[in-house]
Amino acid sequence: QVQLVESGGGSVQAGGSLRLSCIASGLTFSSKTVGWFRQAPGRERAFVVSMWSDGSTYYTDSVKGRFTISRDNDKNTVYLQMNSLKPEDTARYYCAARNPGIASRWDYWGQGAQVTVSS
């Protein structure tokens, strides 16, 4: 059974940092496109960043220069380093994965990790 499990969420003050981790079982991240999404209260789930299997990345404009996605293939883990956090970053963050290909769907999702940024 495929499972993605996020950890590392918490509460920080504006300007602080957090690192989220996503550990996969039942699939291999190195052969997938992986990504992070977030959902704030009362809002739709929004794209944050994706990383293709070759390591190339794409970030939404609001997090460029502050967030960094990385992958440790030996540990089958994807990370999201979040620096210079802002109150508007407050959301539940979800790890996701999909098969390679431009037309593939995000078929695999974690349970989410809450990130709260206070000012």
Side-chain angles (χ1 to χ4, degrees), residues 20-41:
L20 302 180
S21 300
C22 177
I23 302 175
S25 60
L27 65 80
T28 301
F29 274 146
S30 63
S31 64
K32 304 289 186 183
T33 298
V34 299
W36 290 92
F37 295 75
R38 63 187 180 184
Q39 186 170 24

Side-chain angles (χ1 to χ4, degrees), residues 52-95:
W52 284 262
S53 58
D54 67 357
S56 58
T57 58
Y58 180 80
Y59 295 84
T60 192
D61 286 343
S62 62
V63 307
K64 286 181 179 177
R66 300 189 298 119
F67 290 12
T68 304
I69 188 172
S70 61
R71 176 168 55 201
D72 186 334
N73 290 333
D74 291 335
K75 297 180 179 179
N76 206 27
T77 301
V78 173
Y79 304 95
L80 183 66
Q81 179 67 46
M82 303 181 291
N83 298 326
S84 301
L85 283 162
K86 305 174 181 179
E88 51 262 45
D89 295 318
T90 295
R92 191 165 185 86
Y93 284 71
Y94 297 88
C95 175

